[in-house]
Amino acid sequence: MIKRIINNLLTILLFSVIMVNGQNKLSETYNLMPWPKEIKENNNKVYINEDFTVSINNKEGRVHGAAIKFIRRLTNRTGVFVKEGFPFLNKKNATIKITFNKVADIQLNVDESYEVLVTGKQVEILAKTDVGAIRGLETVLQLIRYNENSFYVGGVTIKDSPRFIWRGLMIDVARHYQPLSVLKRNLDAMASMKMNVFHWHLSDDQGFRVESKVFPKLHELGSDGQYYTHENIKDIVSYANKLGIRVVPEIDVPGHATAILTAYPELGSKKGYDYKIERFSGVFHPTLNPINPEVYVFLDKLFAEITPLFPDNYFHIGGDENEGKHWDENHEVQKFKKKEGLNSNHDLQTFFNIKLQEILKKYNKKLMGWDEIMTKDMPKTAIIHSWRGVNEGFKNGTLTEAVKNGYQAVLSNDYYIDRMQSVEHHYLFDPAGNGKLTKEEEKRVLGGEVTMWSELVTSLTIDSRIWPRTAAIAERFWSVKEVKNLENMRKRLRPISLQLEELGISHFKNRDVILRNITKSNDISSLKVLTGVYEPVEIYTRNKGGTEYKSFSPFTLFADACFADAIDGYNFKKTMNSYLKRPSVSKKKELINYFNKWIKGYNDFLKLQSNPNTGLIKNHYKKLKELSLVCVEVLNGKKITKKVKKEVNECVKVLKEPLVDTELVVLPVIEKFLNE
Amino acid sequence: MIKRIINNLLTILLFSVIMVNGQNKLSETYNLMPWPKEIKENNNKVYINEDFTVSINNKEGRVHGAAIKFIRRLTNRTGVFVKEGFPFLNKKNATIKITFNKVADIQLNVDESYEVLVTGKQVEILAKTDVGAIRGLETVLQLIRYNENSFYVGGVTIKDSPRFIWRGLMIDVARHYQPLSVLKRNLDAMASMKMNVFHWHLSDDQGFRVESKVFPKLHELGSDGQYYTHENIKDIVSYANKLGIRVVPEIDVPGHATAILTAYPELGSKKGYDYKIERFSGVFHPTLNPINPEVYVFLDKLFAEITPLFPDNYFHIGGDENEGKHWDENHEVQKFKKKEGLNSNHDLQTFFNIKLQEILKKYNKKLMGWDEIMTKDMPKTAIIHSWRGVNEGFKNGTLTEAVKNGYQAVLSNDYYIDRMQSVEHHYLFDPAGNGKLTKEEEKRVLGGEVTMWSELVTSLTIDSRIWPRTAAIAERFWSVKEVKNLENMRKRLRPISLQLEELGISHFKNRDVILRNITKSNDISSLKVLTGVYEPVEIYTRNKGGTEYKSFSPFTLFADACFADAIDGYNFKKTMNSYLKRPSVSKKKELINYFNKWIKGYNDFLKLQSNPNTGLIKNHYKKLKELSLVCVEVLNGKKITKKVKKEVNECVKVLKEPLVDTELVVLPVIEKFLNE
C-alpha cells in the first residue's frame, strides 16, 4: 500500500517536473516535432486501410499537390494498398478532410496556423490558408502510430501556429556546389519540420553559382561549371513555393567576392591582383572597389537580371567579414575616404551598402545582410542577420543590439550546424535571447536561421550535417519557448530522424556508403560500431586555418561517416555517469555490453582486407579494445595493477589523439571511471 | 619435387581451362568490366599520392570535364589529398597523360577505341576520339588496386574497342516517372560500364512525360504533373553527350497510347471511350485512330516540336503490343481496311508506320521500333528492336528474322531485367544469337539494349533492379564473345557493384532505407540476413495480371529490399551442392554458419517492436529458424525422427509460399539435403 502511494506520488512528481519544464505529457506518447501549441487527447482512432481517402475543399493552391505527396508517403510508410491514389474534391466522409479558406502569397507573414481534429472516423484539418493546411498534413503524418495489426492516427485535437515567422535554413552552395536534387530533398525535409525560409548562399570566394546572361563570365569563369541556370532557379523557387517556403537569395558583397573578381578583375580593389577561385577556406582579401562607379553599374545590371528570378521581397547582400585589407592597400580608396569624411573601412562599407540598397529598391527588394551592415545610416527597413555573439566579442549578441536599434532581425549565431556541436547546444538557444528585450523589441525578432556552411561538406555528407539536428532547431523556431525538455526532445527526434529518410534525406544511408568505400567491402559492421562513439571534432578544429582541406579534397573519410550526437556515445555516457553515482547490476551489464561491442568490433575489423584508410583506424581501434578489456575486468571487480595502469595510460594517450578528424566521445567518462 | 611438378601441371591445366573458356588469366587479378579486348601485364606500378596530376592534350571536347570527375572519384575512393584538382594542358610528366585526336560527334558509330599503357611513372591513355579517351579513363579507375600502404594503378597494357556499337539501357519513365537525378546517376553508371545508348521510353498508357507547348494537354492531363520540360530534356541530352552516350527517345504509338488519348480523346479509335491515365499494368486497348487524318497532323506537329530536342538521328516510335481491339470495334476502320485492301490489323499498323516514317523523315529522323514494325513495306533504313524470342513464340527470335530480312537490329529479348532473373541468365545470351547468322547478317546486329520496364519500380528501387546485373550485360555488349566464364564474371562484379556507389547508385543504400522503414528502427540486421537468401519472385509472378499493384501502390515492401542474385543464397547453394557431392568438415562448418546466421537472425528479429509489416514476415522467419535447427542437427549426424520429419514438412510448406512477393532461394537445395 505504502509502495503504491509512493509510486503515485512519484508519478505526480514526474508530471509536475514535466509541467515545470512546460512540456505537455502527451509528448511522451506522440512523436511530434515541432511540438504543437495546443494538444489534447481523445479516445478516437482513425485506422489506415485500403479505403483510405483524402478530400480537399479547393483544387487551387498548394494542397492538391501536397495531398498527393502525402498519400504516397503514407502508403510507402505503412505498406497499405489504398484504392484511391489521388485526393477528392469535397468528399464528405473521406478519411482525411482538409478545409482551407485561401491560397497564400508566399512572403513574410503567411498565416500558417491550422487545426487537426481526430473525430470518430475522420481526421479533419482546418486552416485559414493552404500553407496552414499543408503544415497540418505534416502533423498528421507524425500522428501515425501502429500496433501489431494496424497503422492508425491517434486521437487528438491540435491547435497550432508558429512562434516565429522566420524559420530558416541557409545552405552555402558556394564552397561546395549542391545539385538540385540535394536542395529539393532538403526543402522537403524543411517543410516536414514546418520551416519556411530557404536562404540560398549563392556566391562566395569559392564560387559564383548563378548563370548570368548579362555577365556570362560570372558563371563561366567563377563556378568551375557548377552553377544554377535561370531555369534551375525557377525550378527551386517553384518547388519551395509549393511547400510554403520562401527563397531568400544571397549574393555576398563587397567581400567574399573572389569568384566575382575572377570573372571581372577590373571591379576589384587591388589593381593587377591575380584573382583565382579560392580553394581554401577562411576570410580572404578580394573585395569589390566601392569607389569605382563601374561596380555599381555592374551590380545594377546584375540585380536587374537576377532579382526577377526570386519573387521574395527580401534580398540578402551578405556584407560580412570584409577586413578591408585591399582597401587599405589602395591609394585611391584612401584618398576617397578622406575626401568623403569616411573614418573607417566600416564607414566605407556603409557607403557601399547604401548605394546597394538604392539599387535593390529599384527592383522592389528590401535589403537583408549579415550584422556588419548595421551602421548608423542603414535604414530600418533592412533586416539584420545576426551571426555574431559572445564568442565573437558581442556580449549580448548583435541580435539584441539590432532590435534595440529598431531593426528587425534574424538569429543565426548559435545555429551554426557546420560546427558539429551537439543538438542540445543549439536547441537551448532562444532566438529572442536572454529575456532582456522589451515586448516591442521581441516583436522585431523575426526568428532564426540554421546555417549550413559548406567548407567541409559535399552532396554526399550535407544531409548528415543538417539533419536531424535542424529538426530540433526548427522546433525552437516554431514551438513555444517552454518546450525545452532535452530528454523528451531526444526521444522524439529518433523516429523523426528515421522518417526523414522518406524524403530522401541521406544521413544514414550515406554514412554506410562512406564506410563501404573505406573498407572496400559490404561488411561494415565493425566500422559502424565505431561511428556509434566517435564524433567529428567540433567547431573549427577540423581544417585548422582553413588550409588542411581544399574544396576538392576527399570528404569520404571516417570523419565524414560520423555524426554529431553519436548515439552509443550519448547512451554510454548517461549510463556510466549514472553508474558512477549509483552502481547497479543492470547498469554494469549494460556497460559491459558496450565494452564487448567494441572488443568484438575490433576483432571483426581485423578480418577486413587492409588498405591505407583502414590502416589509419587500426591502432586507435586496437587501443579501444585493450581499454575495453581492462574496463570489463574493473567492472567485474578486478583491481588495476601498476602494469595495467601503465597500459591504460598508453591507451588513453592514443585515444586522446583525433582519429581522422574525429574524437572518441566516451573517453572522458571512461577515464573518470578508471580514476575512481 | 613431384609435388611441385604436379602443382605446375595443375597450374597449366587451370590456365588451359581458362583459355578454353576464352578468359584471360589476368581476369583473376584485375576486376575490369567490361573485360578489354587485349591486355598484357608488366612490372610497373604507378602510385597515387598527393602529387598525382592529369594532363590532356586538348581542352576542347569531353575529356576536360571527364578528367575533373575522374580526379574527384579517384580522391574520394582513395582518400588521397591531391594538390592539383584540375587537369593540366600538355604537362609532360603528369601521372595520367591523355592524348586524343578529335572530338566525336555523338551518333551511331563513334570510334570508342583506346589504349592504356602503364609505364614507369605514368599512365598513358591514347585514343582517336575524346569518347575513346573517356572510356579509357573508366578503365584506369578500374585498374586502381591497393595494399596496406598505398593505392596504385597496376602495370598493364590494354588495347580495347567494343564488339557492338549499340550498347543500350532503356528506362521506362512512363509507368513510374524518374527524376533527373535518377537518370543522371544511371547515365554515369552506364558510362562507367562503357554503355553508349540511353533509350528513353517517354510515353505509355500510364503517362506522357514530355512537356508539349503545341499540345499542352499532353503533359497537363497525361502526366499527373510528372513530366520533363524542354529544359530538362536538353539537360539530360547534354549530360549524356558529355559521357559519350546517345539519347534515343521513344514515343510509343499507335498502341500504349492511353495517356495521349486522355489528353486528346478525339484522336482515339473508339468514340465516346472514357480515356483515363492507366493505373494498372498490362496491354490495353486505347489506340490512335489510323484512318483519322487529324492523327497525322497531330503527330507531325508533335514531332516538329519534339524532334529538335533530341540530336540523335534515330527516333523510336514503339509500335508494340497493339492488339487492335478498338480497331475491330470501329466500323469506319473496318470499312477503310476493306477499301484499302488491308487484310489485317498488322497491315493497318504498317499503313500507319509508313506515314509516321514519312513524317520523321521530314525532321531528319530515322525510324526505330519494336519488332512488330517489321512488315514487308517497312524500309530497310529502319532499325528493328527485337523484344520477342522463343518464349513469345519466335523460334529463332525476331532479331535473326530482322537481320536475315536485311534490317539492322538491336536485341532486347533476354535483357529484360525487370523480370528479376539471375545475372547469369542475361550474361550468357549473345546479341548475335545462336551462331546461325552469316557474316553479313551478323554485321547488321548493332548490339543490345537492357530494358528497365518500370511497372514495379520507383526511384527508390530502380537502381537495384538495373545494377549490378546491367554491368555484366554491358560486358556482353562490349567484350569479345569468348568472355563468358560465370564464376569469374561474378568475382569481378562484386567490387564493380561496390564502386557503382561512387556514382550515387543506390542499390545497397536504398535496400537499407526500405528495411528501416519496415522495422521502424535503425536495427535492421535481422532483416538484412533475410535479404541474403530471399529474392523477388521472377518474371511476372509478382503483380499477376497486372492488377495486384497500381502505379501508386507502395513499393517499400520486403520484396523491394531484395535483389536478384541474393549473395548468401548463391554461396549457400554452391557450398551445399558441393557438400552433397563430396562432404568435408570445412563445408559442413560453412553450412552450419549459415544456419546459425538464420537462427540468430530470427532471435534478433523478435526483439523488434511488431508492426503490420514485420508481422507479414514473422511466421516465415520462424519456420526458417526451425528448419535451420533441424539442418544443424542433421549435419551433426542426428537422424530425423518421424515427428521431426513432420515438422520439417510443415516448415517447407510455409517456406514454399512466397514471402511478400519473394522466395527463399535456398529452399530447394535444403530440401534436397534433407531428402538424402
Side-chain angles (χ1 to χ4, degrees), chain A residues 105-126:
Chain A
D105 182 21
I106 298 296
Q107 292 290 354
L108 193 64
N109 240 336
V110 168
D111 189 312
E112 298 174 278
S113 66
Y114 69 92
E115 295 180 35
V116 172
L117 316 167
V118 181
T119 60
K121 286 189 171 178
Q122 194 169 53
V123 180
E124 265 207 86
I125 298 177
L126 301 166

CSV table of all heavy atoms in Angstrom, one decimal, chain A residues 105-126:
chain,number,residue,atom,x,y,z
A,105,ASP,N,-0.1,34.0,-50.4
A,105,ASP,CA,1.0,34.6,-51.2
A,105,ASP,C,2.3,34.4,-50.4
A,105,ASP,O,2.4,34.8,-49.2
A,105,ASP,CB,0.8,36.1,-51.4
A,105,ASP,CG,1.8,36.7,-52.2
A,105,ASP,OD1,2.5,36.0,-53.0
A,105,ASP,OD2,2.0,38.0,-52.1
A,106,ILE,N,3.3,33.7,-51.0
A,106,ILE,CA,4.4,33.3,-50.2
A,106,ILE,C,5.4,34.5,-50.0
A,106,ILE,O,6.3,34.7,-50.8
A,106,ILE,CB,5.2,32.1,-50.8
A,106,ILE,CG1,4.3,30.9,-50.9
A,106,ILE,CG2,6.4,31.7,-50.0
A,106,ILE,CD1,3.8,30.3,-49.5
A,107,GLN,N,5.1,35.2,-48.9
A,107,GLN,CA,6.0,36.3,-48.5
A,107,GLN,C,6.1,36.2,-47.0
A,107,GLN,O,5.4,35.4,-46.4
A,107,GLN,CB,5.4,37.7,-48.9
A,107,GLN,CG,5.4,37.9,-50.4
A,107,GLN,CD,6.8,38.1,-51.0
A,107,GLN,OE1,7.8,38.2,-50.3
A,107,GLN,NE2,6.9,38.2,-52.4
A,108,LEU,N,6.9,37.1,-46.4
A,108,LEU,CA,6.9,37.2,-44.9
A,108,LEU,C,5.5,37.3,-44.4
A,108,LEU,O,4.7,38.1,-44.9
A,108,LEU,CB,7.8,38.4,-44.5
A,108,LEU,CG,8.2,38.6,-43.1
A,108,LEU,CD1,9.2,37.4,-42.7
A,108,LEU,CD2,8.9,39.9,-42.9
A,109,ASN,N,5.2,36.6,-43.3
A,109,ASN,CA,3.9,36.8,-42.6
A,109,ASN,C,2.7,36.0,-43.2
A,109,ASN,O,1.6,36.5,-43.1
A,109,ASN,CB,3.6,38.2,-42.5
A,109,ASN,CG,3.5,38.6,-41.1
A,109,ASN,OD1,3.2,37.7,-40.2
A,109,ASN,ND2,3.7,39.9,-40.7
A,110,VAL,N,3.0,34.9,-43.8
A,110,VAL,CA,1.9,34.0,-44.2
A,110,VAL,C,1.2,33.4,-42.9
A,110,VAL,O,1.9,33.1,-41.9
A,110,VAL,CB,2.4,32.8,-45.0
A,110,VAL,CG1,1.4,31.7,-45.2
A,110,VAL,CG2,2.9,33.4,-46.4
A,111,ASP,N,-0.1,33.3,-42.9
A,111,ASP,CA,-0.8,32.6,-41.8
A,111,ASP,C,-0.6,31.1,-42.0
A,111,ASP,O,-1.1,30.5,-42.9
A,111,ASP,CB,-2.3,33.0,-41.8
A,111,ASP,CG,-3.0,32.5,-40.6
A,111,ASP,OD1,-2.8,31.3,-40.2
A,111,ASP,OD2,-3.7,33.2,-40.0
A,112,GLU,N,0.1,30.5,-41.0
A,112,GLU,CA,0.4,29.1,-41.1
A,112,GLU,C,-0.3,28.3,-40.0
A,112,GLU,O,0.0,27.1,-39.8
A,112,GLU,CB,1.9,28.9,-40.9
A,112,GLU,CG,2.8,29.6,-42.0
A,112,GLU,CD,4.3,29.5,-41.8
A,112,GLU,OE1,4.8,30.3,-41.0
A,112,GLU,OE2,4.9,28.6,-42.3
A,113,SER,N,-1.3,28.9,-39.4
A,113,SER,CA,-2.0,28.2,-38.3
A,113,SER,C,-2.9,27.1,-38.9
A,113,SER,O,-3.3,27.2,-40.1
A,113,SER,CB,-2.8,29.2,-37.5
A,113,SER,OG,-3.9,29.7,-38.4
A,114,TYR,N,-3.2,26.2,-38.1
A,114,TYR,CA,-4.1,25.1,-38.6
A,114,TYR,C,-4.6,24.3,-37.3
A,114,TYR,O,-4.1,24.5,-36.2
A,114,TYR,CB,-3.3,24.1,-39.4
A,114,TYR,CG,-2.3,23.3,-38.7
A,114,TYR,CD1,-2.6,22.1,-38.1
A,114,TYR,CD2,-1.0,23.8,-38.4
A,114,TYR,CE1,-1.6,21.4,-37.3
A,114,TYR,CE2,-0.1,23.1,-37.7
A,114,TYR,CZ,-0.4,21.9,-37.1
A,114,TYR,OH,0.5,21.2,-36.3
A,115,GLU,N,-5.6,23.6,-37.6
A,115,GLU,CA,-6.2,22.7,-36.5
A,115,GLU,C,-6.3,21.3,-37.1
A,115,GLU,O,-6.6,21.1,-38.2
A,115,GLU,CB,-7.6,23.2,-36.1
A,115,GLU,CG,-7.5,24.5,-35.4
A,115,GLU,CD,-8.9,24.9,-35.0
A,115,GLU,OE1,-9.7,24.1,-34.5
A,115,GLU,OE2,-9.2,26.2,-35.0
A,116,VAL,N,-6.0,20.3,-36.2
A,116,VAL,CA,-6.3,18.9,-36.6
A,116,VAL,C,-7.3,18.4,-35.5
A,116,VAL,O,-7.1,18.5,-34.3
A,116,VAL,CB,-5.0,18.1,-36.5
A,116,VAL,CG1,-5.3,16.6,-36.7
A,116,VAL,CG2,-4.0,18.6,-37.6
A,117,LEU,N,-8.3,17.8,-36.0
A,117,LEU,CA,-9.3,17.2,-35.2
A,117,LEU,C,-9.5,15.7,-35.6
A,117,LEU,O,-10.0,15.5,-36.7
A,117,LEU,CB,-10.7,17.9,-35.3
A,117,LEU,CG,-10.7,19.4,-35.3
A,117,LEU,CD1,-12.0,20.0,-35.8
A,117,LEU,CD2,-10.3,19.9,-33.9
A,118,VAL,N,-9.2,14.8,-34.7
A,118,VAL,CA,-9.4,13.4,-35.0
A,118,VAL,C,-10.8,13.1,-34.3
A,118,VAL,O,-10.9,13.0,-33.1
A,118,VAL,CB,-8.3,12.5,-34.4
A,118,VAL,CG1,-8.6,11.1,-34.7
A,118,VAL,CG2,-7.0,13.0,-35.0
A,119,THR,N,-11.7,12.9,-35.2
A,119,THR,CA,-13.1,12.5,-34.7
A,119,THR,C,-13.3,11.0,-34.9
A,119,THR,O,-12.3,10.3,-35.1
A,119,THR,CB,-14.2,13.3,-35.5
A,119,THR,OG1,-14.1,12.9,-36.8
A,119,THR,CG2,-13.9,14.8,-35.3
A,120,GLY,N,-14.5,10.6,-34.8
A,120,GLY,CA,-14.8,9.1,-34.9
A,120,GLY,C,-14.1,8.4,-36.0
A,120,GLY,O,-13.2,7.6,-35.8
A,121,LYS,N,-14.4,8.8,-37.2
A,121,LYS,CA,-13.8,8.1,-38.3
A,121,LYS,C,-13.1,9.0,-39.3
A,121,LYS,O,-12.8,8.7,-40.4
A,121,LYS,CB,-15.0,7.4,-39.1
A,121,LYS,CG,-15.5,6.2,-38.4
A,121,LYS,CD,-16.5,5.4,-39.2
A,121,LYS,CE,-16.8,4.1,-38.6
A,121,LYS,NZ,-17.8,3.4,-39.4
A,122,GLN,N,-12.8,10.2,-38.9
A,122,GLN,CA,-12.2,11.1,-39.8
A,122,GLN,C,-11.1,12.0,-39.1
A,122,GLN,O,-11.2,12.3,-37.9
A,122,GLN,CB,-13.3,12.0,-40.3
A,122,GLN,CG,-13.0,12.9,-41.5
A,122,GLN,CD,-14.2,13.5,-42.1
A,122,GLN,OE1,-14.9,14.2,-41.4
A,122,GLN,NE2,-14.4,13.3,-43.4
A,123,VAL,N,-10.2,12.4,-39.9
A,123,VAL,CA,-9.2,13.4,-39.4
A,123,VAL,C,-9.5,14.7,-40.2
A,123,VAL,O,-9.5,14.7,-41.4
A,123,VAL,CB,-7.8,12.9,-39.7
A,123,VAL,CG1,-6.8,14.0,-39.2
A,123,VAL,CG2,-7.5,11.6,-39.1
A,124,GLU,N,-9.9,15.7,-39.4
A,124,GLU,CA,-10.1,17.0,-40.1
A,124,GLU,C,-9.0,17.9,-40.0
A,124,GLU,O,-8.4,18.0,-38.9
A,124,GLU,CB,-11.4,17.6,-39.5
A,124,GLU,CG,-12.7,17.3,-40.2
A,124,GLU,CD,-13.7,18.4,-40.0
A,124,GLU,OE1,-13.6,19.4,-40.8
A,124,GLU,OE2,-14.5,18.3,-39.1
A,125,ILE,N,-8.6,18.6,-41.0
A,125,ILE,CA,-7.6,19.6,-41.0
A,125,ILE,C,-8.3,20.9,-41.4
A,125,ILE,O,-8.9,21.0,-42.5
A,125,ILE,CB,-6.4,19.3,-41.9
A,125,ILE,CG1,-5.8,18.0,-41.5
A,125,ILE,CG2,-5.4,20.5,-42.0
A,125,ILE,CD1,-4.6,17.6,-42.5
A,126,LEU,N,-8.2,21.9,-40.5
A,126,LEU,CA,-8.8,23.2,-40.8
A,126,LEU,C,-7.7,24.3,-40.8
A,126,LEU,O,-6.9,24.3,-39.9
A,126,LEU,CB,-9.8,23.6,-39.7
A,126,LEU,CG,-11.0,22.6,-39.6
A,126,LEU,CD1,-11.7,22.9,-38.3
A,126,LEU,CD2,-11.9,22.7,-40.8
